[in-house]
Amino acid sequence: MLDRTLIPESKQVNEINFISPKKQELDNGIKVFTVNAGKQELVRIELVFENVNWNESNPLQAIAVSHLINNGTKTLSAREIADKVDYYGAFLQTDYGADQSSIKVYTLNKHLEAVLPILWSVLNESIFPQQELDIFKQNQQQSLKVSLQKNDFIARKNFANAIFGNTAYGSNIEVEDYQAIQREELTTYFSAAYKPENCTIFVAGKFEEPEYAILNAIFGKEWNNKDASAINHFSFGPSLTGELFIERPDAIQSAIRMGLRSLNRTHADFPAFQVMNCLLGGYFGSRLMANIREDKGYTYGIGSAIVSMKDSGYFFIATEVGADVCSNALIEIEKEIDLLKSELVSDEELDLVRNYMLGSMLGSLENAFSHADKFKNIYFSGLGYEYYDNYIKTVKSIGAEELKALANKYLNTEEFTKVIVGKK
């Protein structure tokens, strides 16, 4: 009989297996990567498009197109698109990111032949009706006005602009930018970005030759969009370092966001940096949580992260603290960074971080969709599965001396951008 008074034995994850996708090409050259797994008759098809033709004077083109692309075509209204998709029990989702935009459809296999023509129409015949654009502009302006009352939003917005400038990574969007959107700009961007030459398809679920034949018959033919485009690439000037304090006299809490431009996934030190970040603020048992939340009671939550993008990466620490303890919180944050740089982490604490990171990686691979997402991450970074092999090896083997050296190399607080919104 199981003795429930005994704590289960803790074991480190020894092996993590990834499902590699099958690579194919449609008749028109679109690359298709398929993770064929699972027993349910369900499939997710994601079409990803690189963001193109960045124009600092029109920073919302790609965002607005991503939001409005399924709001009306030459033959279907926004309501008709939604009704048709719902009728087949499918789900259509658009996503915008700083580097790529995508549109996903989830559908049962038996309805694939009926659902994909709707998606083809969206990607080839969208007309961005003026009425839908006006509603979008009104809603987004109102949403931005509400967000600008929140200290954490203001801190995040100003931090990104301070380290990345007026690029897609840090563009300082204002209400006036939404007011300035013109329908013609959206149709122009749509024709340049949403075309076969700029598309990669990722499929996950139960997807075999009959399903591929349907996909090829619909999306492997000629598309309507053919305008010229240049994929976005960004270079950056010096970040605005030091402290940016935005005072809000009535604030009960102050938002803190601090960090710097840093590595992305292509750098050899990135996996080791992830271990260091996890130790500092990357999970609930981190040092920042233990100090700022559990010991001092300054906040409900604090965390840090290292974020990878195509042309750069950044490290940040973020929290909201009581306005009366903001200065003390800043001191304690820097104290934890200094400890990483001056003292060796214990074997016990490092083992806890190792187990958490390996367990999180294993837990994130729960189905075909998550395996496809893991592949997508490395594909757009120009990497192969050796990246994950190296990540796992690094988590298992990195030592205290290496972590200390990394902290001294990459966590120079004198180079940090520190944004405080509220009172201190």
Side-chain angles (χ1 to χ4, degrees):
M1 180 179 290
L2 181 67
D3 187 347
R4 298 187 182 275
T5 65
L6 299 177
I7 299 173
E9 184 181 357
S10 175
K11 294 182 179 180
Q12 189 178 94
V13 175
N14 288 321
E15 187 177 4
I16 300 177
N17 296 313
F18 296 86
I19 303 174
S20 300
K22 179 181 180 180
K23 180 181 177 181
Q24 295 169 281
E25 278 194 14
L26 302 184
D27 290 344
N28 58 4
I30 297 178
K31 292 183 176 64
V32 180
F33 296 94
T34 302
V35 175
N36 181 21
K39 297 180 180 179
Q40 294 181 331
E41 297 284 335
L42 175 68
V43 64
R44 182 187 79 182
I45 299 176
E46 179 177 14
L47 295 94
V48 180
F49 302 87
E50 296 278 1
N51 294 339
V52 302
N53 298 356
W54 168 256
N55 185 343
E56 187 177 321
S57 64
N58 294 314
L60 291 170
Q61 275 186 314
I63 298 172
V65 168
S66 179
H67 274 80
L68 293 168
I69 193 170
N70 60 346
N71 280 27
T73 73
K74 293 176 181 178
T75 57
L76 299 169
S77 68
R79 177 63 179 271
E80 288 171 330
I81 293 170
D83 285 348
K84 281 178 174 288
V85 171
D86 286 346
Y87 176 79
Y88 293 109
F91 178 66
L92 197 62
Q93 176 184 349
T94 61
D95 288 306
Y96 167 81
D99 291 315
Q100 294 95 22
S101 299
S102 69
I103 184 164
K104 303 175 188 174
V105 63
Y106 298 79
T107 182
L108 296 175
N109 292 51
K110 65 182 180 180
H111 295 317
L112 194 64
E113 204 163 5
V115 170
L116 287 187
I118 304 170
L119 183 56
W120 188 91
S121 179
V122 166
L123 290 169
N124 284 270
E125 301 175 335
S126 287
I127 58 173
F128 306 95
Q130 186 64 48
Q131 180 183 2
E132 299 291 342
L133 175 57
D134 291 341
I135 294 171
F136 169 77
K137 290 164 68 171
Q138 179 181 345
N139 289 344
Q140 292 300 311
Q141 288 176 69
Q142 184 60 36
S143 177
L144 181 57
K145 289 176 182 177
V146 171
S147 294
L148 287 171
Q149 302 304 310
K150 302 175 182 177
N151 292 352
D152 62 330
F153 178 86
I154 298 171
R156 183 168 66 251
K157 183 172 182 278
N158 282 273
F159 176 80
N161 186 251
I163 64 173
F164 290 121
N166 291 324
T167 66
Y169 295 172
S171 187
N172 199 9
I173 303 298
E174 303 291 352
V175 171
E176 294 75 18
D177 293 312
Y178 285 104
Q179 294 172 344
I181 299 173
Q182 299 296 318
R183 179 175 173 273
E184 293 75 16
E185 296 170 355
L186 304 189
T187 56
T188 297
Y189 184 87
F190 173 64
S191 188
Y194 289 75
K195 58 186 181 181
E197 299 87 345
N198 194 41
C199 178
T200 308
I201 299 178
F202 301 89
V203 182
K206 191 171 183 181
F207 195 85
E208 297 174 341
E209 286 306 314
E211 288 80 17
Y212 180 80
I214 295 171
L215 179 68
N216 188 39
I218 296 169
F219 283 98
K221 60 186 179 182
E222 185 176 0
W223 290 28
N224 295 345
N225 293 342
K226 298 176 182 178
D227 284 3
S229 63
I231 294 174
N232 294 345
H233 287 287
F234 300 108
S235 57
F236 311 98
S239 298
L240 299 177
T241 57
E243 184 177 293
L244 172 61
F245 176 52
I246 301 172
E247 186 174 12
R248 308 194 77 186
D250 297 329
I252 298 174
Q253 287 189 312
S254 294
I256 299 171
R257 198 169 185 92
M258 57 195 293
L260 73 171
R261 204 160 62 229
S262 190
L263 316 177
N264 67 7
R265 194 175 282 109
T266 63
H267 196 286
D269 285 344
F270 190 76
F273 199 128
Q274 289 176 289
V275 180
M276 178 180 66
N277 169 72
C278 189
L279 178 68
L280 177 64
Y283 77 123
F284 194 81
S286 70
R287 291 184 173 189
L288 288 176
M289 284 291 282
N291 183 340
I292 312 299
R293 174 191 158 108
E294 302 299 330
D295 184 42
K296 303 298 189 303
Y298 292 161
T299 182
Y300 286 111
I302 183 170
S304 66
I306 175 72
V307 180
S308 175
M309 297 178 294
K310 184 169 63 178
D311 293 323
S312 187
Y314 65 99
F315 167 78
F316 72 93
I317 298 168
T319 187
E320 285 188 276
V321 300
D324 58 329
V325 295
C326 182
S327 295
N328 291 338
L330 289 167
I331 291 170
E332 293 302 323
I333 291 169
E334 293 209 21
K335 183 185 295 183
E336 291 300 333
I337 294 173
D338 289 339
L339 284 173
L340 268 182
K341 296 162 72 173
S342 60
E343 297 183 5
L344 297 177
V345 59
S346 69
D347 291 341
E348 181 181 7
E349 187 179 10
L350 185 51
D351 283 343
L352 189 62
V353 169
R354 292 188 212 279
N355 290 339
Y356 171 81
M357 294 182 71
L358 293 171
S360 294
M361 173 65 81
L362 184 61
S364 69
L365 296 168
E366 58 186 359
N367 53 42
F369 300 161
S370 52
H371 277 274
D373 290 337
K374 283 289 188 289
F375 172 73
K376 189 172 63 172
N377 287 340
I378 56 175
Y379 176 79
F380 285 113
S381 296
L383 302 170
Y385 278 99
E386 66 275 2
Y387 167 80
Y388 290 121
D389 294 337
N390 182 47
Y391 172 88
I392 294 166
K393 180 181 177 182
T394 299
V395 173
K396 288 183 174 182
S397 64
I398 193 169
E401 289 284 0
E402 187 177 351
L403 286 169
K404 180 181 174 183
L406 281 167
N408 280 280
K409 184 177 181 180
Y410 291 113
L411 299 184
N412 183 358
T413 54
E414 292 181 0
E415 297 177 356
F416 276 22
T417 298
K418 303 174 186 176
V419 180
I420 299 100
V421 182
K423 292 190 295 186
K424 66 172 188 172

